[in-house]
Amino acid sequence: KRALYCLHFENRIRIELVYFTSSNMFENFIILLIFANSIILAIYDYEDRDNLTDFNMSLEKIGEVFTIAFAVEMVLKICA
């Protein structure tokens, strides 16, 4: 009945998180992120493992942004 042993199911923050994370807009945004991340993984040049090209360095940075976005999604859903 508590998220992470701190947010009771009647807590206003938790109620808003449940509403937000279960909304169609949020779910569609996450699906869009997954799709975009898949494209980034597909166009990555795996022959350049050391990221010597600017293209792969840019994709690496974009990948870090996706990682942060998915981590935020995880925290929001755990707290909800």
Side-chain angles (χ1 to χ4, degrees), residues 15-79:
I15 291 170
E16 292 296 325
L17 281 175
V18 168
Y19 178 76
F20 177 69
T21 59
S22 62
S23 70
N24 284 337
M25 182 184 72
F26 182 77
E27 293 295 329
N28 290 337
F29 178 70
I30 296 300
I31 290 171
L32 177 68
L33 284 180
I34 292 169
F35 181 71
N37 191 34
S38 299
I39 291 172
I40 295 300
L41 290 172
I43 63 175
Y44 186 83
D45 182 11
Y46 288 98
E47 291 180 6
D48 179 24
R49 293 282 183 182
D50 297 326
N51 293 334
L52 300 175
T53 62
D54 289 337
F55 183 71
N56 269 6
M57 285 191 291
S58 298
L59 293 180
E60 191 70 28
K61 295 296 181 191
I62 293 170
E64 291 173 7
V65 171
F66 283 120
T67 300
I68 292 168
F70 293 134
V72 168
E73 176 208 9
M74 176 193 65
V75 169
L76 290 175
K77 287 193 172 188
I78 288 173
C79 290

